[in-house]
């Protein structure tokens, strides 16, 4: 069965520091990969997605993620975070050919001044 | 333009009662998804509609849960004989149709079963 593991439930970081939020998935077939963000009191919104092609994907708000097929990972990075990046981040996969989206449990990013 | 809307925003009911949760997708979006999100967890897939038909309902936990989308737009998630374990935030999302298309999420309905 497919699954998504977000290795850190909480990540505290100081403002302007770099951050990496880790995501690993398990699947025997190829997948589409997504990162969603949920700001406080707001709905989920897409940050970025990997469908095919270049393994480095750039998203909104300066975030990027790299697909690593051999390690089945899709880690999210930002070189310098802002207070406004404080939110819950969810990694998700969809099997190619399917529509069922499997989400990870989420990582709460807390940016401190 | 208008995003995905869900009503009610909050619903409190008693164990054993029947509830209906409504989702209005973005106009023109043929795909509609329902998810359930429990505290401290990621969204859990329930059902996916393409047009009027449920293309994948493998996530519905049991036969107390049912969803419809009769005209290919608004969808209703129906829960019979509610149980305390059904308490969660129910999310709806819509997209243009293909699985790689971006899903746009509504604000959710927070269901509390007493």
């Amino acid at each position: 069965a497919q699954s998504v593991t977000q290795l850190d439930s909480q990540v505290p970081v100081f403002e302007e520091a770099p951050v990496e939020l880790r995501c690993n998935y398990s699947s025997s077939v190829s997948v589409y990969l997504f990162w969603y963000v949920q700001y406080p009191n707001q709905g989920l919104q897409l940050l970025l997605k990997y469908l095919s092609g270049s393994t480095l994907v750039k998203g909104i708000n300066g975030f990027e993620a790299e697909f690593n097929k051999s390690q089945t990972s899709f880690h999210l990075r930002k070189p310098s975070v802002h207070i406004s990046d404080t939110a819950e981040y969810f990694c998700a996969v969809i099997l190619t050919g399917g529509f069922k989206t499997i989400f990870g449990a989420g990582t709460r990013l807390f940016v401190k001044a | 333009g208008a995003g995905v809307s869900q009503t009610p925003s909050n619903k409190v009911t008693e164990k054993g009662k029947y509830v209906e949760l409504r989702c209005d997708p973005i106009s023109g979006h043929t795909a509609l998804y329902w998810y359930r999100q429990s505290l401290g967890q990621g969204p859990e897939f329930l059902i996916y509609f393409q047009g009027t038909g449920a293309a994948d309902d493998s996530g519905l936990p049991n036969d107390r849960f049912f969803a419809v989308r009769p005209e290919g737009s608004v969808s209703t998630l129906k829960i019979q004989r509610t149980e305390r374990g059904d308490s969660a935030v129910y999310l709806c999302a819509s997209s243009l149709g293909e699985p790689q298309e971006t899903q746009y999420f509504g604000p959710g309905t927070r269901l509390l079963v007493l």
Side-chain angles (χ1 to χ4, degrees):
Chain A
Q2 302 78 37
S3 66
V4 177
T5 302
Q6 292 185 243
L7 296 158
D8 305 293
S9 60
Q10 295 186 70
V11 174
V13 63
F14 285 104
E15 193 174 21
E16 297 183 8
V19 71
E20 179 179 79
L21 306 184
R22 296 178 293 169
C23 173
N24 285 86
Y25 68 93
S26 67
S27 174
S28 57
V29 300
S30 58
V31 298
Y32 300 128
L33 294 153
F34 305 81
W35 275 98
Y36 285 86
V37 60
Q38 188 168 31
Y39 297 106
N41 301 314
Q42 293 187 29
L44 281 156
Q45 58 182 280
L46 182 71
L47 264 182
L48 48 78
K49 59 184 174 183
Y50 170 79
L51 304 179
S52 64
S54 172
T55 57
L56 184 63
V57 180
K58 293 189 184 298
I60 62 171
N61 300 338
F63 283 93
E64 64 180 30
E66 186 153 21
F67 169 54
N68 187 318
K69 187 175 181 179
S70 62
Q71 297 188 5
T72 59
S73 68
F74 191 54
H75 301 333
L76 181 70
R77 298 192 292 258
K78 186 170 182 177
S80 174
V81 294
H82 303 291
I83 297 286
S84 59
D85 292 323
T86 293
E88 185 101 27
Y89 292 79
F90 294 95
C91 181
V93 303
I94 299 177
L95 302 186
T96 55
F99 290 86
K100 183 174 180 176
T101 310
I102 307 298
F103 281 84
T107 297
R108 183 168 296 279
L109 176 63
F110 179 60
V111 182
K112 302 177 284 185
Chain B
V4 178
S5 62
Q6 293 185 244
T7 54
S9 54
N10 290 279
K11 176 72 177 178
V12 181
T13 190
E14 293 179 344
K15 180 175 177 295
K17 298 290 188 184
Y18 168 83
V19 297
E20 288 190 353
L21 312 179
R22 177 188 168 108
C23 172
D24 279 89
I26 293 171
S27 178
H29 280 190
T30 59
L32 187 146
Y33 303 76
W34 282 99
Y35 298 90
R36 178 170 68 176
Q37 187 174 18
S38 300
L39 199 61
Q41 299 297 317
E44 173 193 6
F45 171 86
L46 295 178
I47 187 169
Y48 156 73
F49 286 91
Q50 181 61 256
T52 60
D56 186 344
D57 64 357
S58 62
L60 294 177
N62 51 59
D63 61 6
R64 295 187 298 105
F65 288 75
F66 189 70
V68 295
R69 194 185 185 200
E71 297 178 356
S73 178
V74 170
S75 177
T76 305
L77 179 66
K78 308 180 180 194
I79 310 174
Q80 300 177 322
R81 305 183 303 281
T82 52
E83 299 177 356
R84 293 193 179 89
D86 298 334
S87 296
V89 176
Y90 289 81
L91 300 171
C92 175
S94 70
S95 77
L96 286 171
E98 295 301 316
Q100 63 267 37
E101 297 287 350
T102 298
Q103 292 182 41
Y104 294 86
F105 283 80
T109 293
R110 188 174 299 276
L111 175 66
L112 177 61
V113 182
L114 300 176

